Amino acid sequence: MEDTVGGWWDVLIRKAAYRGHPRAAVQLADIDKLAPVFFRAMGGAAGLGLRSTVGTEHAGRRSLLERIAGTNTTLELTWSDARSLYLPEKIDLFPDKERNKQLYFWLLALSAEYAALLADTEFAQADWLERNRIATVRCLRAMPGLGQIYALLVREYIPLRGALWDLSAQEQQIEKHIRQTLQNPENPAAAEMTDVVETAAQAGSCSKTRSKTRKKTVGITPVHLWMHPTPPAHAGQAASDESSGRDGENDQHQSEDTRKRRRYRAQKAAPDERQNGPLIVFRAESIFTWDNYLKINRSDEDDGDNDTRPADDMDTLSVARDTKKRASRLRFDLDLPGAEADGTPIGPGILVPEWDFRQQVLLPDYCVIKPMLPHDARPCEIPQHLIRATHRLRRQFQALMPQRSRRFGQVDGQDLDLDRVVRFFTDVKAGQAESNGGLYVDRPRSERSLACLLLADVSLSTEAWVGRGEQASSVINVIRDSLMLFAEALQASGDSFGLYGFSSLRRKEVRFLLLKDFSEPYDATTRGRIAALRPGFYTRIGAAIRHSTRILKEQPAHKRLLLLVTDGKPNDLDHYEGRYGVEDTRQAVIEARQAGLVPFCVTIDREAGDYLPHLFGSHNYVVVHDATRLPHVLTRLYAALSQNG
């Protein structure tokens, strides 16, 4: 009974203490499609992904009810790093839903300007308040249309910061300066500027600090309309990079769950070197909680019972580098495919460059392409379940074959034009013939001059299953069927084509599977190679596209198509994940276009709309939401792309 009443009381007190307006709340998911487009239009880096952040502690004053309920201890603020832009998961600050939505778009615009200004050393070294003031001024100057929205937001936001009389003299001085800066960012207050700004920067650091002149805690609430005063440390990111960052391969499959997209504050911690034997004597009060450092293994996406809900309530995650590598090596070996994924090498490694967006330089001979044949490939015929679709596609694509036309009145040709010959001899008898030219019919072949290279992603993630019930199938099976039907269709059309697959294991082992070279015929051998495809390793798309570009450039065709079929974002065991992999892939696509190719992407990743427009352009990709329809989409897409060949 006590637990029941306590639960009722907790719900009641939390509801009474809550300052937000749930009925007017706007979720980040509500603007998930429009936000990336708006951010890029405002000048933001196109390679940044969009994620929700978590609350960080602040030193602002709380009401009596909030202190009793233990709420309003954290705030979700906006910030960005080299990989992503982090926004509040929900905004319900204002009672008007439209105003909450406008706040989202204001933060997107401010983030774009703020990130651009960070390249300026003087701006980067300025204090928190001055950086936000300058960014606000620059944002309003660059986008005057936002001025009215900003004015409305400030007018309704300032009363929400509370009354000044409840603050100490020092806090009142800081708060007045913040409000003056919000209302008129062009003309900041001049009185005692240095001391006020220094103290305001300390107060805005989202932690309880003490000033040098007074021992009283400074309690100033950070500004919701500004960027985070002290963005979460990059310790977590560094640790992730050091530990090979292998979580990216399956991240796209978890993105539908919003909390998987969160970014936590991180702090470095010393590893716990204590040895835990089978029998442990301990006192109950010494048991660790989630708020203490706890030595655990890296997260395993295969552990379905791994409950991470307690972490969602945490502000800081401690990250330590463990010098003991045995467990990580064991896990690494278990993650890799078996021997059946190893192909048969067919030549020495081929060096290709890679784009480092951080240095803005193309690293020469950085990756090694290893051409291979699929393991244990045996010639075979068309699978029974594809025969009906194959006959249908052959009939459709035979209509695309170059047709012969007849040209009459030619000086030379394959046949005589009998009508012109009779007319000529009649004119000769009448004495009117002037010439005997133009008596032949020619049937020249109307060539389309088109070559197509299809590059299939056969990474580890293609082991995943799609569909339900009897329609369920693994992604790799769908890709095999797609390649088989695609090859049958192109064989019927008479166009030149090549089929390749790829996966990677760091930069020195990008496996490039030869299924059908341009110089080879399409036959049972090709079908056997396609049937022998197995899920490989990881997805270093940039290197695979660059090698495919080299192959396709050598084909004597007027139009050359490069089709990429994939199921996720670029990633690998090393640093090739996040924005690094995205920017390298984008650069590889740009190089392909400069070489005269037409690159196009077909993906089954539902979240591809967040990054594919940056990689291939807004009209050069298609997302297939039902993976089982991939063969149908692929063949129809080729028919459309080849019309102007």
Side-chain angles (χ1 to χ4, degrees):
M1 185 61 182
E2 291 180 359
D3 292 341
T4 303
V5 174
W8 291 345
W9 167 254
D10 183 66
V11 172
L12 179 63
I13 195 67
R14 284 176 175 269
K15 186 175 181 180
Y18 189 60
R19 295 188 186 186
H21 303 83
R23 293 188 177 182
V26 177
Q27 302 283 343
L28 180 59
D30 296 338
I31 61 168
D32 196 35
K33 302 299 181 184
L34 187 58
V37 178
F38 182 82
F39 178 69
R40 292 162 191 157
M42 295 296 102
L48 292 182
L50 186 64
R51 297 194 176 192
S52 59
T53 185
V54 291
T56 50
E57 292 183 355
H58 68 90
R61 294 296 181 92
R62 296 189 295 158
S63 66
L64 177 61
L65 280 177
E66 288 174 334
R67 293 197 296 271
I68 295 174
T71 59
N72 194 25
T73 58
T74 61
L75 285 178
E76 293 187 358
L77 300 173
T78 303
W79 60 285
S80 64
D81 60 13
R83 296 181 180 180
S84 302
L85 170 65
Y86 301 92
L87 292 169
E89 185 178 356
K90 176 184 69 175
I91 294 182
D92 59 358
L93 186 64
F94 302 105
D96 183 5
K97 186 172 185 177
E98 183 63 24
R99 199 71 71 238
N100 290 321
K101 187 174 182 180
Q102 289 173 346
L103 178 54
Y104 260 129
F105 286 101
W106 164 251
L107 292 173
L108 286 166
L110 183 66
S111 301
E113 193 66 38
Y114 193 93
L117 288 170
L118 284 176
D120 185 350
T121 304
E122 184 177 351
F123 175 84
Q125 293 177 350
D127 58 76
W128 156 72
L129 192 147
E130 183 64 11
R131 288 199 305 270
N132 280 283
R133 185 193 71 81
I134 295 174
T136 300
V137 172
R138 292 282 297 272
C139 185
L140 293 175
R141 287 177 180 175
M143 293 157 275
L146 293 174
Q148 184 177 2
I149 293 176
Y150 176 76
L152 290 173
L153 291 173
V154 171
R155 186 177 65 190
E156 297 184 21
Y157 174 66
I158 287 180
L160 301 178
R161 293 186 62 82
L164 291 174
W165 59 266
D166 194 34
L167 304 176
S168 65
Q170 184 184 17
E171 292 168 351
Q172 287 185 21
Q173 186 182 20
I174 299 171
E175 181 65 23
K176 286 180 180 179
H177 181 69
I178 290 176
R179 297 186 183 194
Q180 290 174 6
T181 305
L182 280 169
Q183 292 172 326
N184 193 358
E186 293 276 1
N187 299 305
E192 300 180 2
M193 179 66 66
T194 303
D195 295 337
V196 172
V197 170
E198 180 182 357
T199 310
Q202 294 175 353
S205 65
C206 293
S207 61
K208 296 181 180 180
T209 59
R210 296 179 182 269
S211 66
K212 298 179 181 179
T213 58
R214 301 181 63 177
K215 298 300 181 182
K216 184 176 180 179
T217 300
V218 176
I220 295 296
T221 303
V223 182
H224 296 74
L225 274 63
W226 287 349
M227 299 293 290
H228 203 304
T230 53
H234 295 276
Q237 179 179 339
S240 176
D241 293 339
E242 291 172 355
S243 63
S244 300
R246 63 168 309 280
D247 294 333
E249 179 69 22
N250 293 285
D251 183 57
Q252 64 269 21
H253 301 300
Q254 301 172 344
S255 57
E256 294 180 2
D257 189 351
T258 306
R259 62 185 174 87
K260 299 291 185 185
R261 306 175 64 189
R262 288 189 167 217
R263 175 59 180 257
Y264 295 91
R265 293 179 64 90
Q267 66 180 14
K268 291 183 178 179
D272 188 359
E273 301 295 341
R274 291 180 298 180
Q275 301 296 323
N276 294 326
L279 297 177
I280 305 175
V281 179
F282 63 90
R283 297 175 59 187
E285 58 268 25
S286 67
I287 298 177
F288 277 111
T289 69
W290 273 87
D291 291 325
N292 298 113
Y293 173 80
L294 186 62
K295 184 177 181 180
I296 59 175
N297 291 332
R298 292 183 298 174
S299 62
D300 188 349
E301 63 273 10
D302 296 330
D303 292 341
D305 58 349
N306 185 19
D307 191 357
T308 61
R309 286 175 296 179
D312 292 339
D313 298 327
M314 296 179 62
D315 174 60
T316 303
L317 298 183
S318 297
V319 179
R321 182 168 184 174
D322 192 350
T323 57
K324 299 178 180 180
K325 297 292 186 180
R326 292 188 300 274
S328 62
R329 281 203 296 264
L330 176 62
R331 172 181 168 79
F332 174 81
D333 291 337
L334 291 175
D335 273 348
L336 296 183
E340 65 273 8
D342 293 332
T344 304
I346 55 174
I350 303 171
L351 298 176
V352 296
E354 184 167 280
W355 176 256
D356 187 341
F357 85 98
R358 295 167 298 192
Q359 303 180 37
Q360 292 293 296
V361 63
L362 192 65
L363 305 175
D365 300 338
Y366 192 73
C367 298
V368 180
I369 298 288
K370 293 189 174 180
M372 294 182 173
L373 290 174
H375 177 71
D376 198 22
R378 300 176 182 177
C380 68
E381 298 303 320
I382 302 171
Q384 191 67 29
H385 67 281
L386 296 180
I387 291 180
R388 189 172 183 178
T390 298
H391 291 330
R392 176 175 52 83
L393 287 174
R394 282 175 178 171
R395 290 194 300 269
Q396 293 176 354
F397 276 74
Q398 281 174 352
L400 300 177
M401 290 188 65
Q403 301 296 323
R404 293 181 179 273
S405 59
R406 293 191 298 174
R407 295 180 182 177
F408 297 94
Q410 302 297 308
V411 177
D412 191 11
Q414 298 177 350
D415 298 308
L416 285 172
D417 186 345
L418 296 181
D419 291 338
R420 291 179 179 267
V421 170
V422 171
R423 190 180 303 114
F424 171 72
F425 282 105
T426 302
D427 293 340
V428 170
K429 291 291 184 180
Q432 300 177 357
E434 298 181 357
S435 172
N436 61 349
L439 302 181
Y440 292 89
V441 177
D442 192 19
R443 293 183 174 88
R445 186 181 179 90
S446 56
E447 297 285 353
R448 287 196 304 166
S449 186
L450 188 147
C452 175
L453 186 150
L454 190 145
L455 180 63
D457 170 11
V458 290
S459 58
L460 191 62
S461 60
T462 57
E463 283 184 326
W465 282 69
V466 293
R468 296 180 180 178
E470 297 181 356
Q471 300 296 326
S473 177
S474 65
V475 174
I476 190 65
N477 284 337
V478 174
I479 290 178
R480 290 193 202 105
D481 291 349
S482 301
L483 292 175
M484 199 82 74
L485 292 176
F486 187 77
E488 293 289 341
L490 265 65
Q491 178 73 6
S493 71
D495 293 329
S496 175
F497 68 98
L499 303 177
Y500 304 88
F502 77 97
S503 68
S504 63
L505 192 60
R506 296 190 177 91
R507 66 184 181 91
K508 292 188 177 181
E509 193 167 344
V510 182
R511 304 187 173 200
F512 200 81
L513 298 175
L514 170 62
L515 306 178
K516 178 196 173 300
D517 195 33
F518 280 93
S519 59
E520 294 180 322
Y522 174 70
D523 52 19
T525 300
T526 302
R527 289 191 287 269
R529 293 173 184 173
I530 295 174
L533 281 178
R534 298 290 184 273
F537 298 90
Y538 297 91
T539 319
R540 210 175 196 96
I541 300 181
I545 289 181
R546 288 187 175 91
H547 186 58
S548 299
T549 299
R550 291 181 178 179
I551 296 174
L552 198 50
K553 281 173 59 179
E554 298 174 356
Q555 306 310 311
H558 176 69
K559 184 174 184 178
R560 290 166 289 190
L561 299 177
L562 173 56
L563 296 182
L564 171 66
V565 179
T566 181
D567 69 334
K569 294 178 69 173
N571 72 91
D572 207 335
L573 277 172
D574 51 18
H575 56 271
Y576 198 87
E577 63 172 354
R579 190 178 176 189
Y580 186 98
V582 168
E583 293 295 343
D584 174 61
T585 302
R586 179 174 185 267
Q587 184 65 25
V589 172
I590 292 175
E591 294 169 11
R593 286 202 182 96
Q594 292 174 345
L597 311 186
V598 180
F600 198 96
C601 180
V602 181
T603 181
I604 60 175
D605 181 11
R606 294 176 180 270
E607 302 296 325
D610 293 342
Y611 58 90
L612 278 188
H614 179 55
L615 300 184
F616 288 86
S618 57
H619 302 292
N620 295 318
Y621 74 94
V622 62
V623 179
V624 183
H625 294 286
D626 182 2
T628 59
R629 290 184 53 81
L630 181 60
H632 176 70
V633 172
L634 198 58
T635 51
R636 290 194 61 181
L637 175 66
Y638 178 80
L641 291 175
S642 62
Q643 288 302 311
N644 297 324

